[in-house]
Amino acid sequence: MSTSLPILGACPLDCPDTCSWVVTVRDGEAAALRGNHDHPYTRGALCVKVNRYLEQVRAADRILHPLKRVGPKGSGRFERVPLDQALAEIAARLTSIVEEHGGEAIWPYQGTGTLGYVQGETGQAGRRFWNVLGASRHDLNICARAGNDGLRYVNGTPGGMDPETFAQSRLILLWGTNTLTSGHHMWKFVQDARAAGAYVVAIDPVRTRTADQADEHLPIRPGTDAALALALLHVVLEEGAEDRAYIEEHTTGWDEFEAEIRRHPPALVAEITGLPEERIRALGVRLAHTRPTGIRATMGIQRHEGGGTAMRTIACIPGVTGDWRHPGGGVAYSTSAYAPAGPDPRDDLLPHPVRTLTMTRLADGLDESVKCLWVYAANPLGSTSDQNRIRAALAREDLFTVVMEQFPTDTADYADYVLPATMQIEHLDVHHGYGHMYMVWNEPAVAPPGECLSTTETFRRLARQMGLTEPSLYDTDLELAGQTLAQAGIPLEEIRKQGWARLPAADPFVPFTDGFPTPSGRLEFASERAEAAGLPRVAGYVPSLTARTAPADRPYPLVLVTPASHTFLNTIFGNNPELRRRSKGPRVLVNPADAAPRGLVDGRAARVFNGNGEFRAYVEVSDRVAAGVVAAPKGHWPKHAAGANPNAVVDERDADMGRGAVYHDNFVDVAPLPEGTALEG
């Protein structure tokens, strides 16, 4: 007789919602997957991508056994080898690299393919192993660092609102965030707020799905968000609506910041942002007189040269309006600061201080000093800036490259060895949501197929192969999970039984009621720490490259932004046949005013190019982008998109803070390809 068993788990992907899910196991096989109805944030719903997760688990192109390169790098030609042989050969090569070149010749390049505390980025899985070897430190800064730093200069933390409290907001600014694509569970709370009379504004260079559903869309010029924030506050001051009592009691640096606000009247900012002055004023008046106002700003807003300052200045808004007093007031960027730190990475195991190599500078960093690149939970050839230079670096014959992977990505094609990795339903993990206030448990539902190993088990076996004796390298997954949960005071067996647990915070949660974790204990409009770091002392406006460059000085005439795809998550699911079909292939949105003089026709292929390279995409002629701006959704694998995706034209430059990436701050042009050109591989 067939038996069914529900197993509680968690979505591992780089999304603020970190859903709790239920896997139905029937006769040892994962038969169904659904969102957990009992989880307060997931409420039974999964996204269009994760609804197909079991298809991914069973995909025909899944890597189930170790592979060893037999062709040129990049050819994707491998032979299957036994697991023990692969681990022994890899261990021998690592040992020789350490002995000959030192541990710093190894770059452990970890990504956000899973955010778990046990298997993934949040818990820095594998770092104890790399510390014992003395490997270079990997600065995983690609996602949110610029914004995190900007928020710390104001609030002392990137933490802010509990997104559930948006249900109590009466004005909601969805600022540079496409909620219905990248974290759609928050929309339920937006709907609750609207039912109570809230007004919803989407501020975004692209008229997204979310903008379609908002009460108002402001199509801001990319990289000018901080200027708009200052202009809105200028109107608040004109209205005499600043909360003087809150400013006096809870902030510092007001006189300096007020002067900065006064330098950005709506008429000036209209020229900077491309928005009509009357619409800036109207929103400013609404902001002045609507309490509470909740601002949702996520990672896309800080992916340009002024990105850290953009978040810094937006974070000042509730300090002026006093919105931090209220449930439903303030700014929500990430709730990660409220979650535990995770297992101790044991930096004390390092034999000596080591250099740090920066994720967003992979093309620059892969010089001759790097003898081993170890890639896990990452697909840098598909996801990282300056794609062509990365491809050239990966082609080095003297670069020993190991990729732990589930699928034959473009990056895996350049590996010397590919080690088969488990997927989420096959290993144990524990997660927090960076867009909610819960820890979520993931119980393994089925056995790993083939010779797939979890991240932790891979490093445990390598440590044994290399004869490493440090006891902490052999901590079990349950021990690592327990070390994490103990920091939050959450009993392991309790969360294992329920599948989730709320972080220790009040409900409803109002941040900063006991002060701000800044040096002054107040919200800091002016920051001595920022000044010491060589940044402006006062929050303000640092324009992006594209925003500050006059049209006559532009090397290429159009500004490219690369928003999230509705069907892929970064490059995850980029090989799923149905999601690729729904994506309608690689696309570039072009305003009619830019399409006509270039001979671009809706539905036909074009090349998008600049001095870094080019990618090809089908043109979508649309007023969803303003004239002068083009948008190419990310996520397509280069090998499935005529050999390149938008990262072929994205500069490897730093944002103003945290060396953040600049995916939305690049000049390009677009030219038609011959009619009938097909792009999908």
Side-chain angles (χ1 to χ4, degrees), residues 98-294:
V98 172
E99 290 176 349
E100 185 176 352
H101 303 285
E104 287 181 286
I106 302 170
W107 187 347
Y109 193 97
Q110 183 179 23
T112 58
T114 172
L115 300 188
Y117 279 103
V118 178
Q119 310 295 346
E121 172 265 343
T122 307
Q124 303 175 78
R127 184 156 157 185
R128 294 177 182 179
F129 175 81
W130 300 121
N131 283 343
V132 169
L133 298 188
S136 293
R137 178 158 298 170
H138 175 61
D139 184 16
L140 205 159
N141 69 327
I142 202 164
C143 184
R145 181 69 60 75
N148 282 345
D149 287 1
L151 285 160
R152 285 192 181 97
Y153 286 127
V154 178
N155 296 333
T157 172
M161 294 172 63
D162 175 354
E164 291 182 57
T165 64
F166 275 93
Q168 300 173 64
S169 303
R170 291 301 168 261
L171 172 62
I172 296 175
L173 305 184
L174 300 174
W175 205 322
T177 183
N178 183 6
T179 304
L180 287 171
T181 284
S182 301
H184 72 94
H185 292 81
M186 203 196 91
W187 194 253
K188 297 185 291 287
F189 303 100
V190 173
Q191 289 177 311
D192 290 344
R194 292 178 95 172
Y199 190 80
V200 179
V201 181
I203 303 170
D204 200 302
V206 183
R207 196 174 78 244
T208 62
R209 291 169 181 262
T210 302
D212 283 340
Q213 297 300 316
D215 296 301
E216 183 177 1
H217 171 223
L218 292 180
I220 192 170
R221 187 170 289 147
T224 64
D225 304 277
L228 177 60
L230 292 166
L232 295 177
L233 290 175
H234 195 284
V235 177
V236 171
L237 296 183
E238 289 177 349
E239 294 287 305
E242 69 273 21
D243 189 331
R244 287 283 175 175
Y246 190 88
I247 291 168
E248 179 67 28
E249 295 168 13
H250 300 288
T251 76
T252 185
W254 169 244
D255 290 345
E256 296 169 84
F257 186 54
E258 181 181 11
E260 185 69 17
I261 294 169
R262 299 286 187 189
R263 285 191 283 270
H264 289 82
L268 171 64
V269 171
E271 297 177 8
I272 294 171
T273 61
L275 299 171
E277 179 184 353
E278 60 271 20
R279 295 192 66 187
I280 295 174
R281 287 192 172 279
L283 182 57
V285 170
R286 195 180 289 274
L287 172 64
H289 300 292
T290 308
R291 305 276 76 74
T293 289

Side-chain angles (χ1 to χ4, degrees), residues 573-589:
F573 302 107
N575 61 324
N576 184 284
E578 175 59 19
L579 293 175
R580 287 176 62 196
R581 184 191 68 79
R582 293 188 187 187
S583 77
K584 301 179 182 178
R587 292 178 299 124
V588 59
L589 278 67

